[in-house]
Amino acid sequence: MHKSNKAQLRSPRSQRPPRPVHIVGTGSYLPDRVLTNADLEKMVDTTDEWIVTRSGIRERRIAPDYICTSDMGTAAAQRAMDQAGVHAEEIDLIICATLTPDMPFPATACLIQQKLGAKRAAAFDIEAACSGFLYGLEIGQQFVTSGTYETVLVVGAEKLSTIVDWQDRSTCVLFGDGAGAAILRNRGPDHGILTTCMGADGAQADILLMPAGGARYPASRESVSAGMHYLKMAGKEVYKHAVTAMHTAAKEALQKCNLTVADIKCVIPHQANIRIIEAIAERLEVPMEKVYVNLHRYGNVSAASVAIALDEAAREGRFQRGDLVLLVVFGSGLTWASCVIQW
Ligand code: UT7
């Protein structure tokens, strides 16, 4: 869409849902404790120079023992609710995307429901790793656009510091803790989420995983001593898939809306590695000034990453009402997703 947003959005190829769904509030929460690259130099055989050059990360946040994933998710949700002017009793559904739930069950979304006092809300978790927040947005959107629910809270929350092997320099420098949230509602006939795309490739499940703790390898003395409860990643393989999948997903979302990247005001990608983000920007031919990046401050926060970035970008005024925003993510599964929103 080059001449006018309006003209193209009326075109038959627009994926605008029958009842538009809007993000009416966003929020995020980051723990206070900052772990810098200099701190990591004292913990493992690494350097600030290596971490910055290879990933772009300078520091990350680490939650204390007494703050769980549900606490961070609740804090982010409360900020989103405050911004939207939504009370806990108005929420119909809570979806929490996480791969570090407080416990295997019950769902972290149920714990957030209790902490918020959202007594009317149904609640469940989804696990799509780093893609979880956009998967959650798509699911939540379906409930609002169909008229089943009026108000849906989508949370991405992670305490990755609990599944990172702090002796493995190839992974421990990359991840952090935090949460982001969004409130979905219909705000009227204009704007809203224009399209979402989701994909997965289970054939690549073994390149990014936590092997034990589920039904396949239940927790045992052996699984603990073999380090099977830590996140394992074949970094280079994941890197290649991430660039290809996010580029393809971004293009697919734009095509479905009959848009080009020139129409987009702000691109918000998953925050795993600055080199991945720059590679995607180059392939999409989008200048980095349009791309929102906060990974130097927080590292990779998996399902929370894009949710935190969306909240910060919105609060910093990186886009205004009516502007087009493209979100694109990638994670274990493998999974990927993209989303175009007219703010
Ligand atoms: O959120 C889900 C998606 N996740 C991702 O998208 C992550 C994708 N992968 C990546 O971002 C990158 O592959 C990494 C940042 C993980 C690694 O960067 P790389 O350029 O692929 O490095 P590498 O794994 O090939 O390692 C290069 C070298 C190795 O040494 P040799 O074998 O060349 O002697 C590593 O042992 O760097 C070494 N190395 C380190 N050196 C210092 C690995 N980690 C470190 C470290 N400090 N922390």
Side-chain angles (χ1 to χ4, degrees), residues 92-165:
D92 299 302
L93 172 65
I94 300 172
I95 302 170
C96 179
T98 185
L99 52 76
T100 47
D102 285 13
M103 48 196 131
F105 68 89
T108 298
C110 294
L111 307 177
I112 293 173
Q113 186 241 29
Q114 187 271 328
K115 286 173 186 178
L116 288 173
K119 293 197 176 111
R120 287 182 48 249
F124 62 85
D125 285 359
I126 55 163
E127 204 286 87
C130 306
S131 308
F133 184 74
L134 286 200
Y135 267 59
L137 220 54
E138 163 71 4
I139 297 166
Q141 184 208 228
Q142 296 296 338
F143 280 107
V144 177
T145 203
S146 65
T148 306
Y149 290 135
E150 292 299 320
T151 307
V152 175
L153 165 64
V154 184
V155 177
E158 300 285 9
K159 193 173 181 184
L160 294 167
S161 58
T162 58
I163 61 161
V164 159
D165 180 353

Side-chain angles (χ1 to χ4, degrees), residues 16-98:
R16 184 187 289 283
R19 184 184 190 231
V21 181
H22 304 90
I23 294 180
V24 295
T26 60
S28 57
Y29 171 86
L30 280 309
D32 292 336
R33 184 181 162 213
V34 176
L35 185 72
T36 64
N37 290 352
D39 296 328
L40 281 162
E41 284 177 351
K42 294 175 203 141
M43 296 163 61
V44 285
D45 180 16
T46 192
T47 60
D48 172 60
E49 198 265 331
W50 190 96
I51 302 170
V52 171
T53 322
R54 299 291 177 125
S55 73
I57 300 165
R58 293 183 181 276
E59 56 188 45
R60 66 289 293 142
R61 301 298 180 94
I62 305 294
D65 289 347
Y66 60 87
I67 292 184
C68 283
T69 300
S70 65
D71 299 309
M72 294 187 276
T74 301
Q78 193 61 63
R79 287 172 188 173
M81 289 157 60
D82 290 347
Q83 194 187 63
V86 164
H87 297 290
E89 312 79 53
E90 296 175 77
I91 298 171
D92 299 302
L93 172 65
I94 300 172
I95 302 170
C96 179
T98 185

Side-chain angles (χ1 to χ4, degrees), residues 8-342:
Q8 288 287 343
L9 293 171
R10 278 198 300 266
S11 87
R13 287 184 64 203
S14 167
Q15 296 291 303
R16 184 187 289 283
R19 184 184 190 231
V21 181
H22 304 90
I23 294 180
V24 295
T26 60
S28 57
Y29 171 86
L30 280 309
D32 292 336
R33 184 181 162 213
V34 176
L35 185 72
T36 64
N37 290 352
D39 296 328
L40 281 162
E41 284 177 351
K42 294 175 203 141
M43 296 163 61
V44 285
D45 180 16
T46 192
T47 60
D48 172 60
E49 198 265 331
W50 190 96
I51 302 170
V52 171
T53 322
R54 299 291 177 125
S55 73
I57 300 165
R58 293 183 181 276
E59 56 188 45
R60 66 289 293 142
R61 301 298 180 94
I62 305 294
D65 289 347
Y66 60 87
I67 292 184
C68 283
T69 300
S70 65
D71 299 309
M72 294 187 276
T74 301
Q78 193 61 63
R79 287 172 188 173
M81 289 157 60
D82 290 347
Q83 194 187 63
V86 164
H87 297 290
E89 312 79 53
E90 296 175 77
I91 298 171
D92 299 302
L93 172 65
I94 300 172
I95 302 170
C96 179
T98 185
L99 52 76
T100 47
D102 285 13
M103 48 196 131
F105 68 89
T108 298
C110 294
L111 307 177
I112 293 173
Q113 186 241 29
Q114 187 271 328
K115 286 173 186 178
L116 288 173
K119 293 197 176 111
R120 287 182 48 249
F124 62 85
D125 285 359
I126 55 163
E127 204 286 87
C130 306
S131 308
F133 184 74
L134 286 200
Y135 267 59
L137 220 54
E138 163 71 4
I139 297 166
Q141 184 208 228
Q142 296 296 338
F143 280 107
V144 177
T145 203
S146 65
T148 306
Y149 290 135
E150 292 299 320
T151 307
V152 175
L153 165 64
V154 184
V155 177
E158 300 285 9
K159 193 173 181 184
L160 294 167
S161 58
T162 58
I163 61 161
V164 159
D165 180 353
W166 289 103
Q167 297 183 338
D168 174 10
R169 68 175 185 173
S170 70
T171 52
C172 76
V173 302
L174 303 172
F175 298 96
D177 301 334
I183 303 278
L184 304 184
R185 266 184 172 175
N186 168 259
R187 189 180 58 202
D190 297 323
H191 306 164
I193 297 172
L194 301 185
T195 197
T196 48
C197 306
M198 301 189 292
D201 179 9
Q204 307 297 332
D206 58 349
I207 65 173
L208 180 47
L209 75 168
M210 187 173 88
R216 185 165 173 193
Y217 299 113
S220 65
R221 271 201 196 88
E222 292 72 29
S223 69
V224 172
S225 56
M228 291 168 72
H229 297 270
Y230 292 130
L231 176 157
K232 314 275 182 200
M233 178 167 73
K236 268 210 186 324
E237 282 304 300
V238 174
Y239 185 105
K240 280 186 239 154
H241 287 287
V243 173
T244 309
M246 289 214 283
H247 173 233
T248 308
K251 273 196 341 198
E252 188 186 343
L254 291 171
Q255 275 163 11
K256 278 171 80 175
C257 299
N258 218 10
L259 297 167
T260 76
V261 80
D263 303 311
I264 300 294
K265 179 79 176 185
C266 185
V267 179
I268 306 181
H270 175 48
Q271 308 282 316
N273 187 320
I274 192 65
R275 292 186 292 138
I276 294 176
I277 293 175
E278 285 170 353
I280 296 160
E282 194 183 323
R283 287 187 185 198
L284 287 172
E285 296 182 31
V286 57
M288 279 302 286
E289 300 83 72
K290 277 191 181 184
V291 181
Y292 192 79
V293 176
N294 65 7
L295 64 79
H296 50 290
R297 287 182 281 135
Y298 307 136
N300 181 348
V301 201
S302 190
S305 267
V306 81
I308 296 167
L310 175 66
D311 178 50
E312 291 195 341
R315 286 175 193 264
E316 287 170 22
R318 292 288 294 262
F319 43 85
Q320 308 297 330
R321 182 75 69 96
D323 284 338
L324 293 158
V325 182
L326 169 66
L327 293 91
V328 59
V329 294
F330 173 85
S332 162
L334 299 175
T335 54
W336 55 87
S338 56
C339 174
V340 178
I341 303 170
Q342 191 170 28

